[in-house]
Amino acid sequence: MATDSRIAAFFDLDNTIVPGPAIEYRYFRLLWRQGLAGPMDLVRSAAVLLRNIPPLSFDPLRRFKAYLAEKPSAAVEASIQNFFWEHVCPRISEQARKAIEEHRAQGHRLILLTGSPEFIVAPLATYLKIDQVVAGRLEKTGDTFTGRMIEPYPYRHGKRQAAERLAAEQNLDLAASYMYGDSPGDLPIMEAVGHPRVVNPIRGMRRIARQRGWPILRWE
């Protein structure tokens, strides 16, 4: 049996630790109010979607942040700390806090695994004292975002690949580890760990969890 130090607890962010819509959407609205995002960014986003139809999927917008393209990184990131305290911290699930502390007490390695941009999730990870963060990394040209996410991107199979890489590097036992997630984007890594936990299921995950006998949790 694996020792506690070899067990990881992986946590998704959006609609898991922080229930409800993705925190990135709220940050986009903040940038809009500040004049750093505008109607042209919506046009660019729509164009990205249309270029990739069929099928209709938001995955292209996860890998190319049109609203950040050609924006100075310093200006975009300037409000992130205030944004966290005002819009993210009050929404953190109490059940998520409890689960994190239970894993910490058992000596498990706490890993935040999300496709959300790293600069947006970093304050939350620091606040919750997460051991390690694997998040989306934005490409830059000089001090300007290109909008493209750097590969490997931690979403769908990218999440599983990230977990397998960490397991190899840190001698983690995935068969004894946990994954908390809400959507099909988390399914590949849930299939790789011994203890998947479906939180606030969306897009068919409730049905999948029931078929496979996985626990379904409601975090508010």
Side-chain angles (χ1 to χ4, degrees), residues 9-183:
F10 297 95
F11 290 85
D12 180 38
L13 172 60
D14 293 316
N15 200 41
T16 305
I17 292 179
V18 181
I23 64 174
E24 188 179 353
Y25 298 155
R26 290 175 178 258
Y27 200 62
F28 170 78
R29 292 200 296 267
L30 174 63
L31 296 180
W32 185 286
R33 292 195 298 270
Q34 294 176 341
L36 290 171
M40 198 60 194
D41 296 308
L42 296 180
V43 173
R44 290 177 179 174
S45 297
V48 170
L49 288 178
L50 291 173
R51 283 198 301 268
N52 289 276
I53 292 176
L56 179 60
S57 169
F58 287 99
D59 282 8
L61 288 181
R62 292 186 175 95
R63 296 177 181 276
F64 181 74
K65 307 295 184 182
Y67 75 100
L68 294 177
E70 302 176 10
K71 304 288 174 61
S73 58
V76 168
E77 297 176 3
S79 301
I80 196 62
Q81 288 294 335
N82 288 339
F83 171 78
F84 168 73
W85 290 111
E86 293 180 14
H87 299 284
V88 179
C89 188
R91 296 176 55 210
I92 296 173
S93 163
E94 287 303 318
Q95 293 93 332
R97 292 176 191 261
K98 182 179 178 181
I100 288 169
E101 291 309 316
E102 288 175 347
H103 284 290
R104 194 193 316 277
Q106 295 177 72
H108 299 168
R109 184 159 184 80
L110 303 172
I111 301 173
L112 181 61
L113 184 52
T114 175
S116 296
E118 192 172 45
F119 77 90
I120 294 180
V121 306
L124 177 139
T126 300
Y127 175 74
L128 293 176
K129 299 179 182 178
I130 301 293
D131 296 317
Q132 190 165 359
V133 178
V134 179
R137 296 172 299 141
L138 278 157
E139 180 184 76
K140 291 182 183 179
T141 298
D143 296 325
T144 302
F145 288 129
T146 68
R148 288 186 290 271
M149 304 302 287
I150 297 172
E151 296 292 342
Y153 177 60
Y155 186 70
R156 294 193 187 275
H157 292 286
K159 281 192 172 185
R160 178 168 182 158
Q161 292 167 358
E164 291 173 341
R165 174 178 55 79
L166 292 178
E169 293 173 353
Q170 301 174 20
N171 195 30
L172 301 175
D173 184 353
L174 291 183
S177 295
Y178 297 75
M179 171 63 196
Y180 296 83
D182 69 317
S183 75

Side-chain angles (χ1 to χ4, degrees), residues 178-197:
Y178 297 75
M179 171 63 196
Y180 296 83
D182 69 317
S183 75
D186 301 309
L187 187 56
I189 182 177
M190 285 185 165
E191 294 173 334
V193 300
H195 304 286
R197 300 288 186 264

